[in-house]
Every structure is written in structure tokens, then in C-alpha cells.
Amino acid sequence: MMNVNRRQLLAGMGGLAVAGMAGAPGRAQQKTLIVPTLGGAWEQFWRAELAPAFTKKSGAAVTLDAGNGRVWSANLRAAGVQKPPYSILMTNEAFASSLRKEGFFEKLDLTKLPNYNDLYPLAKKTDGWGAVAMVSPIGLAYRTDMVKTPPKGWKDLWENPEFKGRIGLYNFANTAGKMELMLASKIFGKDQYDVDAGFKALEKLGPVIQADFNLSTGIASGEFVVAPFDFGEVARLRKQGLPIDVIVPEEGLLMFDQTLNILANGPQKDLAYEYANFLLSPEGQVPLMKNFFVSPTNAKVTVPDDLKADVPISGDMMDKILTWDWNFMNEKQASLAETWAKVLK
């Protein structure tokens, strides 16, 4: 099992790396799918396991394009809606929602995605335009050796005096930072759109330690003792010997999601659907769960007993994950980023 810091991997993915998969069957010479994937251990896993498994199933070659949502969005916009370099894109819904509005994606042809029917409702929130293939639920993590009263919910960030000046948050550049704002707006205001109330609440936290991708270093060093963390990252830190735990907050969980989208004018659309259906199948989801501790979105996948401590969010617990209006956030993010910079020191 890979023992790698997920956020550190993402931090180093600014460049573009393209690598072809060798060893495909005979018809792979005629059919190739470009697959955007995250870098580091994610790319290694795709190269070693997932891509060969798809090649064996489909007979198609796979070319990996390592990057992140920002890079792939830039590549698509540079190429234009009519000539995209990809046929499929798996990325955070925060990026997918913008590209969807710009006309890059088509509404899913569900006759080509039989595994879509087995997804949790959470994975179908885009009204048939995308399908969530992976979820990394985000709870509230804390140092068990440095906190006397464990938190029960997000409100404890404001109400537990132990946490004053010892809180870590993702900054606004990260999708989790945007979720933190919408969460505060929802808890302390009328709803997720009440960002004035959200900012007032965040200001009351006082000084916080912010990071774009990597909060692990700060909590490991004791720079802060409580922060939003995805369950998979907590599992990795715990296996490294760090005294850390994570709760399911009373108000609900956040999440890092990965939504599958089909390019309306992609060069290999039929193959893209075949690949998407593969990722949504137990055959595609189980290896991801075992290697990265993500929560499967296919309800037919059962978390084995030896993984339940590392992948505790599945089944009915998936209903505790909150979802957000990314169209609203993307439209307002420039002005909200300015306010964030003024409010959170």
C-alpha cells in the first residue's frame, strides 16, 4: 500500500507529464484513450494497475496526462470546445461545473454507463451531466495527544477554547477553502449563499494557519492541533505513528470529489464511455479504495472489515456528505478571494 501524503503529491503537479502505456493487445494500435490523471503516486498507480486493467478489458492503449484540474482546464480552453485534447475528464466538481457551463461536456448517455445505476445519490448530483467516481470525505481531525476535549462538530472550532490560535484551514485557492466558507455561511447564516455571515464567523476564529494543499506538515509538527482532513490522509498519518483522529462532524462532512465528464467533441467518445463505466464498476473502485482509502461511490462495493477503520464512510454514512453550489462559488470567487485575504490573516 502506498504511504504517500496526498496533498504533497498535488502540490508538485504544476507541470504536464505525458506517458504512454505499453503492452496493449493488437487492436490497441488503432485505438488510444488519453486519460488525465493526478500525478505522483496516483499516476504510478494508474500506470501499474488501472490502465493495464482497462487495456486488458477494452483492447485500447492508454496515454496518461498527469496534472490537475487547473492544468486540464487551461489545456481545454486553449484548444477550444470543438477540438478538445481529451475525450474524458475526471476532476473536482468545482472545475467541472465551469467547463460544463462553457459547453465542453455533453449530458451523459446513460445507456453506455450501466454502472451509473449502482451509484449512491451523492454521485448523481449533476443531473446526468457527470458521475462522481471517487470521494475523499473530509472530517475534523485533531491531535489526540494535544487536545483534552475532542470536537463533536465544526462549531467546536469557535466554541472550544483549546483551539483558539491553534486551527489549520485550507486557503481559498483550494476547493476545500471555498467549502469552508460555504460551510460557515450555512452554519452561522441563512444558507451557503450567506457569505457575509460566513466571513464574519471566520473572522471570529482569529489567527489561523492556512495551506493550499498540505496541512499534514503543520498538524504533525504541532503548529496547529485541529483542522479539516480527508479520512484517507488521516489513515496515512496514523500509520506513520502520528497520534491523530478524525470525527464525522454533527453538521456534516465536506469532500474532495472526482467527477467523470465526457467531452462533447472528444476524439474517442465511445472509448471514453467504456473507460468511465470501468471506473464506476467494482473492478475499478475496489483498487482505488485499497490504495488511497477513498470511499467507493458504487453502492455495490462493500468495505472489507480490515479497511473499515481507514474507510469508515460508506453505505448510509454517505448521506452525511454535504454538497455545494459550485456555479455560485465560481461566479463569485474573484471577489470572495479578495475578501478572504482581508478577513483571514
Side-chain angles (χ1 to χ4, degrees):
M1 191 167 289
M2 299 176 189
N3 186 15
V4 181
N5 183 313
R6 179 174 182 266
R7 297 293 130 203
Q8 287 176 325
L9 290 176
L10 293 175
M13 293 193 299
L16 202 61
V18 179
M21 300 301 305
R27 68 184 177 122
Q29 298 284 332
Q30 301 153 0
K31 201 163 56 164
T32 299
L33 182 68
I34 298 175
V35 172
T37 183
L38 300 174
W42 296 88
E43 180 187 358
Q44 294 167 21
F45 173 73
W46 247 258
R47 184 186 305 282
E49 295 193 38
L50 274 194
F54 178 67
T55 292
K56 184 177 180 180
K57 191 176 185 69
S58 67
V62 174
T63 296
L64 299 181
D65 186 349
N68 60 23
R70 297 170 191 171
V71 172
W72 301 320
S73 296
N75 291 343
L76 284 170
R77 290 178 177 124
V81 171
Q82 297 303 318
K83 293 185 177 181
Y86 316 122
S87 299
I88 188 168
L89 181 66
M90 184 171 74
T91 188
N92 299 129
E93 180 57 23
F95 293 104
S97 63
S98 289
L99 293 167
R100 195 174 295 132
K101 288 188 71 175
E102 294 171 39
F104 282 97
F105 304 139
E106 70 177 25
K107 196 161 189 177
L108 297 177
D109 182 349
L110 298 183
T111 64
K112 298 178 180 179
L113 284 176
N115 288 312
Y116 183 91
N117 295 326
D118 298 327
L119 301 181
Y120 289 108
L122 171 76
K124 303 176 182 179
K125 290 286 188 178
T126 61
D127 191 29
W129 284 89
V132 179
M134 284 195 299
V135 165
S136 295
I138 301 172
L140 191 56
Y142 65 98
R143 284 284 298 266
T144 58
D145 60 333
M146 301 177 73
V147 170
K148 293 179 181 179
T149 305
K152 293 182 179 179
W154 296 109
K155 279 189 176 181
D156 286 305
L157 292 176
W158 286 265
E159 296 174 357
N160 187 337
E162 286 186 73
F163 298 155
K164 194 72 173 179
R166 306 171 81 194
I167 296 170
L169 291 179
Y170 286 103
N171 67 21
F172 195 76
N174 191 293
T175 56
K178 299 174 177 67
M179 286 185 277
E180 290 161 355
L181 172 59
M182 290 187 283
L183 176 68
S185 303
K186 182 181 177 70
I187 293 174
F188 295 100
K190 293 176 290 187
D191 50 35
Q192 64 177 300
Y193 307 104
D194 193 359
V195 293
D196 289 340
F199 276 124
K200 286 179 182 177
L202 290 172
E203 189 171 25
K204 290 178 181 178
L205 287 177
V208 298
I209 307 298
Q210 298 184 61
D212 188 358
F213 292 117
N214 178 26
L215 285 171
S216 297
T217 301
I219 203 165
S221 67
E223 187 177 10
F224 50 84
V225 300
V226 64
F229 265 84
D230 68 83
F231 283 74
E233 183 65 8
V234 170
R236 282 182 281 276
L237 291 171
R238 191 186 291 128
K239 291 177 189 299
Q240 293 171 15
L242 189 71
I244 188 173
D245 202 359
V246 59
I247 65 154
V248 177
E250 295 170 337
E251 304 91 341
L253 293 159
L254 308 181
M255 69 170 170
F256 292 118
D257 58 0
Q258 292 291 325
T259 303
L260 291 168
N261 308 272
I262 303 295
L263 275 296
N265 298 300
Q268 291 283 358
K269 277 208 292 187
D270 286 341
L271 191 56
Y273 273 106
E274 194 173 349
Y275 174 73
N277 197 54
F278 167 72
L279 282 187
L280 296 176
S281 71
E283 182 184 1
Q285 300 238 311
V286 169
L288 286 164
M289 172 181 66
K290 290 182 176 179
N291 281 270
F292 297 102
F293 307 130
V294 296
S295 292
T297 56
N298 187 317
K300 286 188 174 181
V301 177
T302 300
V303 180
D305 289 342
D306 63 345
L307 269 182
K308 285 182 178 177
D310 300 328
V311 187
I313 308 302
S314 65
D316 293 341
M317 293 290 286
M318 296 290 276
D319 293 335
K320 294 185 178 296
I321 299 176
L322 302 170
T323 56
W324 308 101
D325 185 345
W326 286 108
N327 287 329
F328 162 77
M329 178 53 63
N330 289 333
E331 289 170 3
K332 304 286 186 182
Q333 67 172 324
S335 62
L336 295 178
E338 291 182 10
T339 306
W340 179 284
K342 294 174 184 176
V343 169
L344 279 94
K345 307 300 183 183

